[in-house]
Amino acid sequence: MIILNCLIGAERLLTPGGWEEGRVIEIRDGRIARIAAGTAADFHAAVLSPGLIDPHIHGGDGFDVMHPTEEGMAAWLAGLAEAGVAAVAASPYTAPPEVIRDSLEVISRVMERQKKEGLPGARLLGAHLEGPFISKNRLGAMEERYVLPPGAENCRRLIEGYESILLEMTLAPEEPGADEVIRLLDSLGVRVQAGHCDASYEEGEAAFEKGVGSVCHFFNAARPIRHRDPGFLTAALNRPEIYCEMIADLVHLHPGTVRFLWNCKGFNRIILISDAVSTTNLPDGEYLDNGLTIVVQNGTSTVKGGGLNGGGTYLPGAVRNLVSLGVPAGEALAAASESAARWLRLESGIRVGAEASLTGWDSEMNPLFTFVGNHLHRKGEIL
């Protein structure tokens, strides 16, 4: 069922200007038509925020962005919306070029179906490629055999035909040929971030001058900070304009490290991400994922005999984790929505005329529903 018109009530409403109390939002034809004082509404939330945006997500609940079907991706997007996530950039990672392109093809088709057919679920904004132009010294859970040398021709062959859906690429800017890729992507309007990167401080400074504007899952799969070898991460901390992705499952980063990064960058430059993978939210056990054995224990996915393999929670859980560490709810919600929108040059924020992209929460910051376009999603149902 498509909801063309409805009223959504909020005890507290997070707007671009801050919190407002006792507000009702009128939705008309998928857009915000009016915001007014009141309580009478069709749906209610203790807290109403801009819809959460996850620009770095590989799957979850058994779904894998690397080997998708249209039906599987549609079901996954519906589940994400029911869980409180309003929009995502699906994130193929370092793999054979034909596998990446097959994933981009399905992403493209599902985006078209959402546009033309009104397919429900979290809005599929486009693609974020995490690799394959990364450092072999900072693989994380990536496989070395699939790493490609960066260069304009390699990049063109990889993304040809999918330029219009590519929002972002993560690469190692210190690798020979990376400058060519950065220039090509910049000419296409694609955002570039440094990740799986072994760059020095000086190489980081040079990359940021050339247009690299963000750091992929800060601290993870990156050259560490040392007092006489500060590395590119320190260069990013010293530059207030650089965005930093944060995985806040409290496993990828110690709570003290979360506070440190938050104090350094602030919510306007932190992009909260899930980095969720196919085994995120699955029961404890062993799973086969793209030829690797993944062990899930206490919600954490690791490569058997290796390291971490992706985030342990979707964005709503990350928001709650930040709030539990003393981060004000408004700042945590902004880092999970408006920061990504600014970085990707997208519309965001609750204002008259904007698209209806909203996440409703109870008083304990558990998601109640997500409104995306003309659909309201809540656990077990799509209206």
Side-chain angles (χ1 to χ4, degrees):
M1 180 174 68
I2 294 177
I3 298 176
L4 294 178
N5 304 291
C6 72
L7 299 175
I8 300 180
E11 294 175 24
R12 302 182 74 210
L13 175 68
L14 183 61
T15 73
W19 290 108
E20 296 183 9
E21 308 292 326
R23 291 293 184 267
V24 173
I25 292 181
E26 180 183 353
I27 308 297
R28 189 182 304 152
D29 297 329
R31 305 195 78 83
I32 297 173
R34 184 171 59 95
I35 302 173
T39 57
D42 302 299
F43 306 99
H44 295 267
V47 172
L48 192 63
S49 74
L52 302 194
I53 302 172
D54 193 344
H56 187 154
I57 183 167
H58 307 291
D61 291 298
F63 173 78
D64 182 6
V65 164
M66 299 308 297
H67 298 285
T69 62
E70 288 183 48
E71 294 72 21
M73 183 168 283
W76 173 63
L77 292 170
L80 281 171
E82 291 178 24
V85 180
V88 299
S91 308
Y93 52 83
T94 301
E98 62 273 16
V99 173
I100 294 173
R101 287 182 59 81
D102 286 348
S103 175
L104 291 173
E105 176 63 22
V106 175
I107 293 169
S108 177
R109 290 179 184 175
V110 174
M111 288 177 66
E112 190 69 11
R113 287 182 61 186
Q114 285 193 331
K115 181 179 179 181
K116 291 186 174 180
E117 302 172 17
L119 191 72
R123 180 66 47 82
L124 187 53
L125 300 170
H128 162 205
L129 290 184
E130 188 180 2
F133 308 127
I134 62 174
S135 171
K136 293 182 179 180
N137 295 324
R138 302 294 173 188
L139 290 168
M142 306 291 190
E143 293 190 71
E144 182 176 346
R145 58 182 170 158
Y146 299 136
V147 174
L148 291 181
E153 286 308 308
N154 269 351
C155 187
R156 285 192 187 96
R157 284 194 292 268
L158 184 67
I159 68 174
E160 185 179 9
Y162 302 107
E163 295 90 343
S164 65
I165 71 165
L166 184 59
L167 296 173
E168 180 179 12
M169 180 181 283
T170 294
L171 51 71
E174 77 279 9
E175 291 293 312
D179 285 0
E180 295 180 15
V181 178
I182 293 168
R183 285 194 296 270
L184 173 61
L185 295 174
D186 184 64
S187 72
L188 296 171
V190 177
R191 295 297 243 164
V192 183
Q193 69 174 4
H196 292 270
C197 173
D198 199 34
S200 66
Y201 183 92
E202 293 73 18
E203 288 168 330
E205 282 280 276
F208 298 138
E209 287 294 327
K210 291 169 184 172
V212 174
S214 179
V215 175
C216 181
H217 44 49
F218 206 91
F219 288 117
N220 289 282
R223 184 177 187 144
I225 294 174
R226 297 189 177 96
H227 62 295
R228 284 190 289 270
D229 177 20
F232 80 103
L233 294 181
T234 305
L237 294 177
N238 283 339
R239 298 178 71 108
E241 77 275 14
I242 299 301
Y243 287 84
C244 299
E245 289 186 346
M246 174 189 283
I247 306 173
D249 60 2
L250 305 187
V251 175
H252 279 75
L253 299 176
H254 184 280
T257 307
V258 170
R259 291 193 183 96
F260 168 75
L261 183 54
W262 196 269
N263 290 336
C264 286
K265 299 302 290 189
F267 69 92
N268 282 318
R269 283 297 182 270
I270 286 178
I271 302 171
L272 202 60
I273 64 167
S274 70
D275 196 26
V277 291
S278 65
T279 50
T280 300
N281 287 344
L282 292 185
D284 286 2
E286 292 191 3
Y287 300 87
L288 192 64
D289 180 38
N290 295 307
L292 298 175
T293 300
I294 306 300
V295 179
V296 178
Q297 187 172 11
N298 298 324
T300 300
S301 296
T302 58
V303 179
K304 191 171 186 177
L308 290 167
N309 185 52
T313 181
Y314 288 145
L315 277 192
V319 168
R320 283 195 303 277
N321 286 340
L322 288 180
V323 172
S324 76
L325 296 179
V327 172
E331 294 186 7
L333 290 166
S337 56
E338 297 188 49
S339 291
R342 262 194 324 276
W343 163 241
L344 295 175
R345 305 185 180 109
L346 303 170
E347 179 186 83
S348 181
I350 298 175
R351 55 176 63 85
V352 173
E355 181 184 30
S357 178
L358 309 163
T359 300
W361 309 78
D362 67 17
S363 59
E364 302 298 319
M365 295 304 294
N366 298 299
L368 296 173
F369 59 79
T370 308
F371 205 103
V372 184
N374 284 323
H375 292 282
L376 185 136
H377 307 73
R378 55 189 175 190
K379 198 65 178 176
E381 63 178 344
I382 301 173
L383 303 178

